[in-house]
Amino acid sequence: MEPDKDLIIIGAGPGGLAAAQYGARANLKVLVIEEMAPGGQALVIDDLENYPGVSGPVSGIDFCQVMEKQAHDFGAEFITATARSIKKENNTFHIETSKGSFSSYAVILSTGSKNKLLGIPGEKEFTGRGVSYCATCDGPFFKNKKILVVGGGDAACDEASYLSNLSDKIIMIHRRDRFRAQKALADRVLHNDNIEVRFNHILKEIKGTMKVSTVLFENTETGETYEEEVDAVFIFIGTMPQTALVPDLPKDEAGYVITNQRMETETKGLYAVGDVRATPFRQVVVAAGEGAVATHCASQHIDDIKGMSYI
Ligand code: NAP
């Protein structure tokens, strides 16, 4: 029996949306399954300033809405559902979701990644009550307040810069003596008068009653521990890939799905793109490019199955 769709895309971040647009434009029957709003982690971008050809203040939300519309206008179908499993029988994939099952010749996994937690006392307890993982979502609640940012990568530097527009009392700690972030983003933080950077610092505990009131720091150079009052703690210490649907696929040491340069995983017809894929550089533009490559290769695979290959 023929599957319902040619191509199913699981996850509608920039990688999945680009894949959907390319697939629908190539006349494939495309279904995108997303459990939240299309856009993924890109939705929290305040100003997408490094996507080639897009300039001026553009929020991640606006950018992703245009990507979704493009895919939709070319004919891609979207459903809001949670994908629960992927199984392959002969040339057909069967996807079980919270809204029923769907089948296709090819699947693109673009399930992205989730924020890592520090795992310290008080973190879980005060999440939503002063502890946050998204500056654009929660920053405005802490206008002119004393805000702590934890982390040293691109996300921490980007988000600290965003928060410095809301308050001039930002403390940023990082466990090493310099930032991991791209130089442009790190320099922006280091030259920002509203951000006080403390290197060689770790956060040991978050305290409060109804909401965050105090944190416990350790200066790892001196061994000194000390408490300080803060109103909010924003944590950006990296991400974890969402790979529960593909437990058996090969991953790198950090758990990201390994593909070849055609975005093919070890399972024929199953591709991975964006933040769930093992890649040296996680960017919106990279995810979108990977989505285009995956769909191009999936389309050739589908033509092979249908006996329509251009040889
Ligand atoms: P990341 O690059 O993995 O950086 C995570 C940072 O958190 C590192 O500095 C790390 O310290 C620190 N860290 C990790 N675990 C920690 C712990 N338990 N306690 C204290 N600190 C800890 O993650 P990211 O910044 O979320 O970025 C993820 C990906 O998205 C990257 O590929 C990044 O380039 C991309 N991204 C790009 C942009 C942009 O281009 N504007 C913005 C956001 C994200 P160490 O340095 O010691 O490991």
Side-chain angles (χ1 to χ4, degrees):
M1 204 172 75
E2 276 198 12
D4 319 318
K5 307 289 172 197
D6 293 315
L7 174 63
I8 290 180
I9 296 162
I10 306 176
L17 290 172
Q21 182 201 314
Y22 270 75
R25 191 168 170 273
N27 255 346
L28 297 177
K29 276 192 278 176
V30 175
L31 174 68
V32 183
I33 301 170
E34 166 60 57
E35 58 185 353
M36 316 275 277
Q41 295 257 345
L43 288 176
V44 305
I45 297 172
D46 170 49
D47 178 8
L48 181 65
E49 60 177 17
N50 58 358
Y51 196 96
V54 174
S55 90
V58 180
S59 71
I61 294 176
D62 289 346
F63 180 81
C64 293
Q65 276 175 354
V66 174
M67 279 189 103
E68 182 194 1
K69 183 174 182 318
Q70 270 181 315
H72 190 267
D73 289 351
F74 278 118
E77 244 184 273
F78 287 77
I79 60 158
T80 307
T82 302
R84 295 195 168 132
S85 66
I86 305 174
K87 289 209 174 74
K88 189 179 180 195
E89 269 175 10
N90 303 318
N91 280 326
T92 300
F93 288 92
H94 299 275
I95 317 290
E96 288 301 323
T97 81
S98 54
K99 301 244 175 93
S101 14
F102 302 91
S103 56
S104 61
Y105 291 118
V107 172
I108 296 178
L109 186 76
S110 52
T111 42
S113 59
K114 259 196 188 159
N115 297 313
K116 265 199 215 158
L117 307 189
L118 271 173
I120 56 168
E123 181 180 20
K124 275 203 176 139
E125 190 185 342
F126 292 109
T127 294
R129 294 191 291 143
V131 171
S132 170
Y133 302 86
C134 174
T136 43
C137 319
D138 299 326
F141 296 119
F142 301 99
K143 220 167 174 189
N144 300 321
K145 300 280 188 190
K146 190 164 167 185
I147 299 173
L148 171 67
V149 175
V150 184
D154 288 346
C157 287
D158 253 355
E159 306 285 297
S161 296
Y162 170 78
L163 290 167
S164 74
N165 297 318
L166 301 172
S167 169
D168 60 2
K169 295 182 278 291
I170 312 289
I171 300 170
M172 182 165 178
I173 62 161
H174 180 38
R175 63 185 178 183
R176 294 209 212 187
D177 62 358
R178 62 192 168 95
F179 287 129
R180 172 184 290 279
Q182 298 168 63
K183 192 171 181 321
L185 304 181
D187 282 351
R188 199 173 291 170
V189 165
L190 292 168
H191 298 131
N192 188 322
D193 289 340
N194 292 352
I195 306 175
E196 181 199 331
V197 176
R198 298 182 197 168
F199 288 118
N200 299 309
H201 269 65
I202 56 174
L203 188 60
K204 305 275 289 180
E205 189 172 349
I206 301 167
K207 300 179 183 181
T209 44
M210 293 304 285
K211 55 190 175 63
V212 169
S213 63
T214 319
V215 288
L216 177 66
F217 291 124
E218 180 183 336
N219 178 330
T220 54
E221 240 181 355
T222 62
E224 177 203 5
T225 56
Y226 61 98
E227 281 195 3
E228 189 162 334
E229 285 182 4
V230 300
D231 298 296
V233 181
F234 284 80
I235 300 168
F236 307 104
I237 57 160
T239 54
M240 288 177 306
Q242 298 302 291
T243 56
L245 288 169
V246 289
D248 300 329
L249 284 184
K251 321 268 184 347
D252 70 4
E253 65 286 351
Y256 292 89
V257 175
I258 293 173
T259 75
N260 61 17
Q261 62 177 1
R262 295 169 60 83
M263 308 301 138
E264 291 165 332
T265 68
E266 201 182 60
T267 303
K268 201 166 172 53
L270 177 57
Y271 304 77
V273 303
D275 281 5
V276 74
R277 187 181 98 88
T279 170
F281 201 30
R282 295 200 163 78
Q283 298 282 297
V284 175
V285 67
V286 173
E290 290 175 358
V293 172
T295 295
H296 173 74
C297 298
S299 168
Q300 290 175 341
H301 169 71
I302 294 164
D303 281 351
D304 278 350
I305 296 174
K306 291 181 174 175
M308 288 165 48
S309 289
Y310 184 87
I311 304 168

